[in-house]
Amino acid sequence: MEFGALAILPPLIAIVIALLSKQTILSLFIGVWAGATIINSWNPLTGFAKSISDYMVPSIADPWNAALLILVSLAGGFIHILRVTGAAQAFAQVATKKVNTRRKAQNMTWGSALLFSYTEPVLILGTIMRPLTDKLHVSRVKLAYILDSMGASLASMSPISSYGPFITGLLATQITALSLTDNPWSLFIQMIPYNFYGLFAMIGVLYVINTGLDIGPMYHAEKRAIETGEVIGKNDKPLVAEKGDEFPEGYEFKFYQFLVPMLLLFVTIFTVIFWTGNIAENGFRGSFINANIVLAISCGFLVGSIGAGVISVASKLHSIKTAFDEWTQGIINLMIVPMILVMAWSIGKIAGEMELGAYMSQLVGDYLPSFTVPALIFLLGSLIAFATGSSWGVFAIMMPIAIPMAVAMDINLALVAGAVISGGLFGDHCSPISDTTILASTGAACDHIEHVRTQLPYAILIGICSFIGFLVSGATIGWLGIVATAATTFTALYLLNKKAKNAQNPININM
C-alpha cells in the first residue's frame, strides 16, 4: 500500500503531543495507534489491537531491543544500589576536594566520556557523575546535554563501538554492490572528519561549559540550580525516581565503597568484551569490533551491583535481604524507561512499514544539483531521524541512497557518508522519541521533555552550521567544509555568548 505523505503523521502526532503535554508514553502510544489505524484501513479498533500485537510485542522480541531493555533494567538496580549504599556519596565527597566548581565538574564529565569510546557513555557516566554535579549545583538537564552531545557523537566515530561495525557493514554492502575497490574500514576512518555535526556537537558543548553560554530554557534551569540548589524543576518528572537517602547517624562514607563496585564494573565489561570478541583470534582492536558490547555492560552492571551490595552487608548497613530489596527497587524505579523505549521502537517500526524514509527521499531526489547533495542528504537524514527517533534507522535508509548517488555524480564518498551520519545524529538529538536521547535523560535522571527543550537551541545551532559546511564542501573541496563549519560555529557561539552576557545576569561558571 502506498501511504505517501500520510507516513509523516504518526511520528508528527507523537512529537507534537509529547512537546505539548510532556506525557512521553501517552504521546508515543497515540502516535503508534494513529499509524496502526492508518495501516489497517483507518479502523481505530483494529489499530488499537494491532498497536500491541504487531508493533509493541515484536519490538520487545527483537534480540537487540530485548538486550537493551535488560541493560536499562540492570542499570536501574546499579544506579540505586550505588546511592543507597553510600558509594555515590563517597565518590562525590572525595571528588569535590579537587573538582570543587561547577565548571570543573562539567569538564570532568566531558573528558571522562572519552574513556567510554567503546560505547555510548550516557548511562554509566551519568550514574558516576550525577552525585558530583548535584553537589555542585549543576542542573540535571545540563548534565543530560553533556551526556547526549558526547554519547552517540563519540560512538559514531569509534571503530570499537557498536556503531563502528554497523556503519562499516552498511558501507561494505554498497562497496560490493557497486563493484568499488574501497576498503570499508578505511572509508569509515576517512568519514570521521566529515561527521560535522558529531564533531562540533562535542566541541560546542565544551565551549558552552567553559564560557557559561546558557541560553533559553537552559539558562533558567542553571540559574535555578545555582540560586536554590534545585537541580530539577518543581514540575519536572525525572525518568529515575529518587527519594532522600537515610544513613545511620555518624555514618562515614569510605571511598572503597565506590571504588570496588566501579572496578568490578570495568573489569567485568572488558572481560566480557575480550571473551565475546575472541581476543585470542581477533586481537585487541578486533575483539572490540566483534564483541557483544550490550552484554558486556549488562554483566558489568550486575557484577558491580553485587560488589556494592556485599560491601553494604559487610559494613552492616544492610542485610542480604534489604540489599537485594534495594536493588530490585532500583529496577522498579526505572520501569518507565523500558516502556518509553518500546513505544519509540514501535513508532519507528510504523514509520518503516509506511516507508517514511523512501517517501522523503523521493520527495527531493529528482531535484538535486550535485553540489547540494551532501547538504541535502544531511537535511533529509535529520528529518527522518527526528520523525523516527532512530539514527541507526537513518544510517540504514540513507546509506544505500547516498553512496550510489555519490558514485553517479562523482562526489567524495567519505563526505557523503559523513553527511548521512551527521544527519542521523542531528535529528536524533532533536527528537523527543529518540532512544539515545531517552537514555541521556535516564543517565542524568532528569525530565525527558525538559532535556529535549533545553538541548534543542544548541543542537539547532550546530545543525545549521553543519548544513553550511556540507554546502561549502559540495561546492568546493571537502576540507573547506570543515573550515566553514568551524568558522560559522565559533562565530555563532561567540556572538550568542556576547549577546547573552549583555541581556542576562551572567552565571558564574566557576562557582
Side-chain angles (χ1 to χ4, degrees), residues 64 68 71-72 75-76 78-79 82 108-131 133 140-156 161-163 202 205 239-240 262 265-266 269 293-294 297 301 334 337 341 391-392 425 428-429 434-446 448 451 455:
W64 173 267
L68 191 58
L71 184 152
V72 170
F78 183 66
I79 291 167
L82 282 185
M108 183 176 180
T109 304
W110 186 92
S112 297
L114 300 174
L115 301 174
F116 295 84
S117 60
Y118 52 88
T119 187
E120 294 180 51
V122 288
L123 283 175
I124 299 176
L125 190 57
T127 301
I128 296 169
M129 296 304 301
R130 195 166 70 239
T133 55
R140 294 279 182 84
V141 289
K142 185 66 169 291
L143 175 60
Y145 166 49
I146 299 170
L147 295 175
D148 211 354
S149 297
M150 295 301 291
S153 300
L154 187 60
S156 70
S161 73
S162 55
Y163 279 67
M202 293 167 61
V205 73
L239 291 187
V240 179
M262 295 311 300
L265 170 75
F266 285 108
I269 286 175
I293 300 291
V294 173
I297 298 174
F301 280 143
L334 213 64
V337 178
L341 287 173
S391 58
W392 283 40
L425 295 176
D428 215 37
H429 277 179
S434 157
D435 52 2
T436 51
T437 305
I438 293 165
L439 292 177
S441 301
T442 304
C446 69
H448 176 56
H451 165 45
Q455 177 171 269

Side-chain angles (χ1 to χ4, degrees), residues 8 10-16 18-19 28 344 347-348 351 356 360 378-391 393-394 422-435 437 452 456 459-460:
I8 300 173
L12 183 63
I13 289 170
I15 290 167
V16 170
L19 293 175
L28 286 171
I347 206 165
L356 173 61
M360 296 182 74
F378 168 75
L379 181 61
L380 184 56
S382 302
L383 294 173
I384 295 173
F386 181 78
T388 61
S390 172
S391 58
V394 169
S422 283
L425 295 176
F426 174 45
D428 215 37
H429 277 179
C430 296
S431 178
I433 61 174
S434 157
D435 52 2
T437 305
V452 175
L456 204 56
I460 290 174

Side-chain angles (χ1 to χ4, degrees), residues 316-506:
K316 297 186 174 12
L317 181 61
H318 292 101
S319 66
I320 294 176
K321 180 182 181 303
T322 57
F324 188 76
D325 286 345
E326 291 287 4
W327 182 75
T328 53
Q329 184 60 48
I331 294 176
I332 294 169
N333 290 345
L334 213 64
M335 279 309 297
I336 187 173
V337 178
M339 284 301 300
I340 292 174
L341 287 173
V342 169
M343 293 298 179
W345 293 328
S346 298
I347 206 165
K349 187 174 173 62
I350 289 278
E353 191 166 327
M354 297 181 76
E355 298 183 329
L356 173 61
Y359 168 72
M360 296 182 74
S361 300
Q362 185 180 5
L363 201 63
V364 297
D366 297 331
Y367 308 98
L368 297 180
S370 61
F371 81 92
T372 66
V373 167
L376 290 176
I377 285 174
F378 168 75
L379 181 61
L380 184 56
S382 302
L383 294 173
I384 295 173
F386 181 78
T388 61
S390 172
S391 58
W392 283 40
V394 169
F395 304 159
I397 290 168
M398 292 300 298
M399 209 66 84
I401 297 170
I403 298 299
M405 191 180 295
V407 171
M409 296 183 174
D410 195 26
I411 302 172
N412 186 332
L413 292 183
L415 172 62
V416 169
V420 172
I421 304 306
S422 283
L425 295 176
F426 174 45
D428 215 37
H429 277 179
C430 296
S431 178
I433 61 174
S434 157
D435 52 2
T436 51
T437 305
I438 293 165
L439 292 177
S441 301
T442 304
C446 69
D447 184 296
H448 176 56
I449 301 301
E450 283 302 300
H451 165 45
V452 175
R453 287 182 65 246
T454 51
Q455 177 171 269
L456 204 56
Y458 303 102
I460 290 174
L461 186 150
I462 302 297
I464 292 171
C465 295
S466 299
F467 180 80
I468 294 170
F470 284 117
L471 274 178
V472 172
S473 286
T476 56
I477 54 178
W479 66 266
L480 281 179
I482 303 173
V483 174
T485 307
T488 52
T489 297
F490 286 116
T491 301
L493 287 172
Y494 172 77
L495 294 175
L496 197 58
N497 192 36
K498 190 174 180 180
K499 182 178 179 180
K501 290 291 189 287
N502 292 332
Q504 303 167 340
N505 293 323

